[in-house]
Every structure is written in C-alpha cells, then in structure tokens.
Amino acid sequence: MKRVSDVAFSDAVKAEQARRGSRAGYARMAEKQDWRDRVMPDLTAFIAERDSFYFATASAAGQPYIQHRGGPKGFLKVIDDRTLGFADFGGNKQYITLGNLSENEQAHIFLMDYAGRQRVKLWGRARVIEDDPDLLGRLADPGAAGRPERVILFEIAAWDINCPQHITPRYSEDLIALAVDKLRQRIAELEAEVARLKDSGS
C-alpha cells in the first residue's frame, strides 16, 4: 500500500531502515498517522511566523543545491491547500535554482523555528511563474527589500514535523527585545520601590 511518506521513504531508504532496525517502527507510524499532503491550520500558522526557510533543488544530473530565502514574517504564503508561493527577488544572478527547476521540478522546503525548537520538512514540485503581475503583486510584501522579479510556486507532495532533538535555540531580535523590555520594566518597578522605601524611612 502506497503511503504519503513514501515520497521520502523509497525502497532504498526502507531497506536501510530494515537493516538498521527502524523500519517496523516507521511502518507502524504510517499506519496510525501518516505524513500529510495538504496544508492544515497548524502548518498555516507555522508558515505565517517564519521569516526564512531553506529551499532545495537539484539539476537533472542530481547535483543538489540549497538556497536560503528570507523576508518579512509570512513572506512564504499559502495559496491553497496544496500550494505555497513566494516572490523571487533579484540577487547575485547565479540563477542556480532557476536553472535546476527548468530541468527538474523536484524540490524541498525546510522550515525552522529555532526558538521553539521545531522543524517542518516539505517535499514537492516547484515551478517558476514569469510575467504574472497580479500573482506577483499578491506574493510580494511591500516592505521587502529588493525588486520582485517572478514567482515560485511549490506544490506539496508530503510534509512532516520533526522532533526537537539537536536544535540549538536561537532567538530573533524581536524576541530578545521583548525579553529585554520586560526586564527593563521590572528594573524600573524595583527602583521605584527602593525609592519609596527610602522616602518612607527618612
């Protein structure tokens, strides 16, 4: 029986899992709750909070390439329950991702929440959309730096949430600023209390 997770668990992968003792466990997991192939509310919420992701493609010969993508929170957008999209901005003009997608539509998105120690992996197919100003206008955030040149759409084949093991927590400037503001407020409260106690004791 074909499973959604078979997009990653090929026959060769399953053979390795069997050889190393993990195949039975993954088979039971797939029977109980397999990976998903549709955007669900939890994935939508997770994507909306991300300001970066890693985008993997490969040439027709199988040479892999991973590119970091960054922007305002939510710049990777949910188009429908099977499709994500983002505006592609001008960069260093290497065009490795575009070249790879011109001959191999297989792609992968890797989303990280370092502070929450959570990662989401998405397998699928990607295509480049040129000369669609309406779609580009929908996906390009006005506050993003640079000039949007095209759209890349990603059709989801499967996605999975990984365990937090080995994720070192990292915090954005916004999260650090919130924590620092709370400390400053507490310091101000304590200083005011000290001043009040000094005044009442004099």
Side-chain angles (χ1 to χ4, degrees):
M1 178 180 178
K2 189 167 179 59
R3 304 282 186 184
V4 175
S5 52
D6 285 348
V7 71
F9 295 163
S10 65
D11 290 343
V13 171
K14 289 177 181 178
E16 282 297 313
Q17 291 173 346
R19 189 166 73 87
R20 298 172 188 274
S22 64
R23 181 66 218 140
Y26 280 113
R28 285 193 300 271
M29 287 171 61
E31 289 174 8
K32 185 177 180 181
Q33 182 178 341
D34 199 12
W35 295 357
R36 291 176 277 185
D37 60 359
R38 295 283 195 278
V39 176
M40 308 297 285
D42 55 343
L43 180 59
T44 299
F46 189 85
I47 289 172
E49 289 299 311
R50 305 282 69 79
D51 60 6
S52 71
F53 66 91
Y54 300 95
F55 189 52
T57 59
S59 67
Q63 181 62 48
Y65 178 66
I66 297 176
Q67 186 176 56
H68 174 265
R69 297 282 180 151
K73 276 187 181 181
F75 77 98
L76 176 63
K77 294 180 170 50
V78 175
I79 306 296
D80 58 43
D81 70 344
R82 290 295 297 271
T83 312
L84 308 179
F86 59 94
D88 186 38
F89 288 79
N92 57 18
K93 301 185 184 300
Q94 289 186 340
Y95 301 122
I96 299 172
T97 295
L98 297 184
N100 285 348
L101 291 177
S102 73
E103 60 182 11
N104 182 356
E105 63 182 1
Q106 301 295 327
H108 187 87
I109 289 177
F110 196 94
L111 296 159
M112 287 292 298
D113 173 7
Y114 288 101
R117 300 181 67 229
Q118 191 174 40
R119 56 191 154 207
V120 173
K121 304 178 295 185
L122 300 102
W123 287 260
R125 297 175 176 83
R127 66 185 189 275
V128 179
I129 307 295
E130 306 270 11
D131 302 321
D132 189 336
D134 291 337
L135 182 59
L136 188 59
R138 285 172 53 201
L139 296 181
D141 288 293
R147 182 174 65 86
E149 296 182 344
R150 65 193 61 83
V151 165
I152 296 179
L153 296 181
F154 182 88
E155 182 183 349
I156 297 171
W159 65 275
D160 182 45
I161 298 175
N162 256 124
C163 70
Q165 189 176 20
H166 305 306
I167 300 177
T168 302
R170 291 183 172 86
Y171 303 95
S172 67
E173 290 182 11
D174 291 344
L175 287 175
I176 292 171
L178 283 173
V180 170
D181 283 345
K182 288 180 181 177
L183 290 174
R184 286 176 176 157
Q185 290 173 10
R186 184 61 180 147
I187 289 169
E189 290 169 1
L190 291 171
E191 287 177 339
E193 179 67 10
V194 168
R196 186 187 66 77
L197 290 171
K198 283 182 177 178
D199 288 344
S200 65
S202 59

